[in-house]
Amino acid sequence: MDPYSAEGELINIHNHFHQGQCQEVIDFDTSSFSPDNALPVRVLVLRARLALGQAEDVLADVKGESDPALEALGALAELSLGKVDSAVKTVEKLAASSADNTTVLIVGGTVLQAAGKSDEALALLTQHQGSLDAVALIVQIHLQQNRTDLALKEVSAARRWAQDSLLVNLAESWVGLRVGGEKYQQAFYVFEELAQAPSTSSVRSLVSQAVCELHLGRTEEAQAALDQALEKDANSADAIANLLVLNVISGNNAEELTDKLKAADPNHQFLSDLEEKSALFDKAATKYSPKVSA
């Protein structure tokens, strides 16, 4: 059984992680958990620490460990530190020897996707046995591939066996933001409920709410949600990136926010996409010469 299933004792700490409440995961009182769940709890805490940028500490923590789950987390830490080739090599070794380990599937799939190996990531993740974490990653990969149809199919299948799961609701909302139309409002309800409840609010849920507000044309509400997110973490790259988008939509100068985003996360996906599109525009512009009238 998935140790993080709704029937297990880890549901609350697991939900904290996927709600973006990583510090709450680290601070969670685990004294009442059964010994059998010691490793799954440690895995969650290490993943939370990685999400908070503590890759070097996590790598030191798992150094010398022989458990496949902890080896996989070491690879994820290496990826975070820019050691992509080493991380991929470790994951591919683990995939060949420990594909029955759920953490190897989830973390390995994360590493492979980040390294641009989507097909390998999906091949690994689809070996899961009832893991909603794996389902969520599969959905994200399909969305990155612009295969909304496959993402929707994955969510629909998971909904049949995990109806009220937080992860299924989140995955369905991600797909809804891609589908658009009335799905924007449905996604908003999910993220707004998480973002505005003190027990579940996080930078991630507030940014997600803001994205929904933007799609619904509610710029003032989006601004308010992003302001809340930045109050929680003034250096949140995702909050800054979406505030930058909001400023562009509103016709405001975004140069200062662009510089702020570069300082917060110079490798942020928004900046990479912007650089790529700027290069494509410049390339296209060279094909046209200005007409000068005599």
Side-chain angles (χ1 to χ4, degrees):
M1 185 183 78
D2 181 359
Y4 308 122
S5 69
E7 295 77 25
E9 63 180 353
L10 304 185
I11 182 172
N12 290 329
I13 188 172
H14 186 244
N15 282 350
H16 277 315
F17 179 78
H18 288 290
Q19 286 159 188
Q21 297 174 296
C22 292
Q23 192 58 52
E24 283 83 346
V25 173
I26 294 169
D27 296 338
F28 202 95
D29 181 6
T30 61
S31 60
S32 63
F33 292 150
S34 65
D36 289 345
N37 280 324
L39 181 59
V41 168
R42 186 180 177 190
V43 165
L44 269 183
V45 171
L46 289 171
R47 289 177 70 189
R49 289 171 61 191
L50 283 170
L52 292 176
Q54 301 172 15
E56 290 185 0
D57 292 338
V58 169
L59 192 58
D61 196 325
V62 300
K63 185 178 181 180
E65 296 281 5
S66 59
D67 188 285
L70 299 177
E71 286 189 75
L73 283 162
L76 185 57
E78 286 190 319
L79 178 76
S80 300
L81 295 170
K83 302 175 182 178
V84 179
D85 291 342
S86 178
V88 169
K89 184 178 179 180
T90 298
V91 163
E92 289 178 339
K93 180 198 74 172
L94 291 170
S97 62
S98 305
D100 58 340
N101 186 298
T102 301
T103 300
V104 168
L105 298 185
I106 297 165
V107 176
T110 301
V111 170
L112 292 170
Q113 174 64 13
K117 296 177 177 289
S118 298
D119 290 341
E120 288 184 36
L122 287 171
L124 184 60
L125 287 163
T126 51
Q127 297 179 56
H128 78 90
Q129 299 293 322
S131 168
L132 285 174
D133 287 73
V135 169
L137 278 172
I138 291 169
V139 170
Q140 289 186 351
I141 292 172
H142 285 322
L143 289 175
Q144 288 185 35
Q145 295 175 320
N146 290 317
R147 290 302 307 270
T148 306
D149 57 326
L150 295 180
L152 183 58
K153 182 179 179 181
E154 193 72 29
V155 170
S156 298
R159 177 67 74 188
R160 288 195 289 270
W161 55 271
Q163 292 186 5
D164 298 321
S165 164
L166 170 67
L167 264 179
V168 174
N169 289 337
L170 289 174
E172 192 170 55
S173 299
W174 302 333
V175 176
L177 285 172
R178 184 64 62 85
V179 172
E182 64 182 16
K183 299 296 184 181
Y184 286 145
Q185 189 66 41
Q186 293 175 17
F188 166 76
Y189 289 137
V190 172
F191 292 125
E192 191 265 349
E193 182 178 359
L194 289 173
Q196 299 307 320
S199 62
T200 57
S201 183
S202 68
V203 171
R204 184 185 301 170
S205 58
L206 285 161
V207 170
S208 299
Q209 178 190 340
V211 170
C212 294
E213 303 278 22
L214 282 172
H215 280 299
L216 291 164
R218 302 194 294 238
T219 55
E220 290 184 7
E221 290 84 350
Q223 177 78 54
L226 290 171
D227 287 345
Q228 284 182 270
L230 289 167
E231 284 177 13
K232 288 180 177 289
D233 181 1
N235 295 312
S236 166
D238 286 339
I240 295 168
N242 281 280
L243 186 58
L244 193 163
V245 171
L246 174 58
N247 271 257
V248 172
I249 291 172
S250 303
N252 299 323
N253 190 308
E255 185 176 344
E256 182 179 343
L257 283 168
T258 302
D259 291 339
K260 189 174 181 180
L261 180 57
K262 289 177 180 177
D265 182 2
N267 298 314
H268 194 275
Q269 187 64 48
F270 179 88
L271 295 174
S272 300
D273 289 346
L274 184 63
E275 184 177 349
E276 180 184 0
K277 288 176 174 59
S278 295
L280 289 171
F281 179 84
D282 291 342
K283 183 178 179 180
T286 61
K287 298 179 180 179
Y288 302 92
S289 57
K291 293 182 179 180
V292 180
S293 56

